[in-house]
Amino acid sequence: MKKSIGLVEFRSIAKGIEASDAMMKAADVRLIQALPLCPGKYVILIAGEVGAVENAVAAGINVGKEQVIDKLILPNVHSQVFPALTGTVEIKEYKSLGIIEVFSVAAAIKAGDAAVKASTVELMEIRLARGMGGKAFIFINGDVSAVKTAVQKGVDEIKDEGWLLNYSVIPSPNKELLAQLV
């Protein structure tokens, strides 16, 4: 069922919660996350079949109206995106680390999906804008060349939208540093 992701980001926490309720009631979708983010925004992430996600996002926009900041409907999402969003990825071997840093939750998801579709890598985490002033980032693990390809594809996916802050590939990250990051 989790083939598509829908997201709506709101300026208002109260209106975001109200719109999230409408989204969940509007279609057969699963809630991935619904939470307040810095600086005082609210975001809901849902998953489901494309038509259901489209209906739920439309319901959220209808209730949220002028409080809607951003929206995303991403069909055919790579299966690694879902555990990366919930922080449930188990990495067996750390290799090279790719990082993409963005100013938007939607951009982080789009970049992560594009990156993992472009190369044979592991999407370690898509950390959403909680406690980071509205920023989000992605961690990618794999062989150096594969990580470089994935990071470049993720960057290319969002750079024209103006949400990209920075990116990096670290060929052999320090193990103690990795333990602090993940």
Side-chain angles (χ1 to χ4, degrees), residues 1-181:
M1 175 171 165
K2 296 190 293 186
K3 294 181 180 173
S4 301
I5 284 182
L7 171 148
V8 184
E9 190 172 346
F10 303 91
R11 283 184 188 86
S12 162
I13 293 170
K15 191 54 92 173
I17 293 170
E18 179 187 356
S20 297
D21 180 63
M23 290 172 68
M24 295 304 297
K25 292 175 179 172
D28 183 20
V29 293
R30 290 187 187 224
L31 180 65
I32 299 175
Q33 289 187 11
L35 64 159
L37 300 174
C38 291
K41 299 185 293 185
Y42 193 84
V43 67
I44 179 170
L45 275 168
I46 56 170
E49 298 295 333
V50 176
V53 167
E54 289 173 343
N55 289 338
V57 167
I61 291 169
N62 186 45
V63 172
K65 298 191 184 327
E66 69 278 351
Q67 297 300 314
V68 174
I69 297 170
D70 200 4
K71 66 171 179 60
L72 171 70
I73 298 171
L74 194 58
N76 300 316
V77 175
H78 194 284
S79 62
Q80 288 190 39
V81 170
F82 296 100
L85 282 167
T86 56
T88 56
V89 176
E90 186 176 322
I91 302 296
K92 294 188 175 29
E93 180 186 3
Y94 291 102
K95 297 177 180 174
S96 299
L97 177 64
I99 308 161
I100 303 173
E101 183 180 7
V102 299
F103 287 114
S104 153
V105 172
I109 295 168
K110 286 174 65 177
D113 183 58
V116 75
K117 286 177 177 173
S119 188
T120 305
V121 293
E122 293 175 289
L123 195 55
M124 296 169 56
E125 182 177 3
I126 300 174
R127 193 172 303 179
L128 303 182
R130 196 166 197 178
M132 298 183 289
K135 294 193 293 183
F137 61 85
I138 304 154
F139 286 151
I140 300 166
N141 181 49
D143 294 330
V144 177
S145 62
V147 169
K148 285 181 178 177
T149 299
V151 166
Q152 190 59 57
K153 184 63 177 177
V155 166
D156 290 346
E157 184 70 22
I158 60 168
K159 68 181 179 188
D160 292 338
E161 298 172 1
W163 295 114
L164 178 66
L165 179 60
N166 214 330
Y167 61 97
S168 183
V169 175
I170 304 171
S172 182
N174 178 278
K175 303 298 181 216
E176 288 182 62
L177 176 61
L178 272 175
Q180 293 292 315
L181 295 176

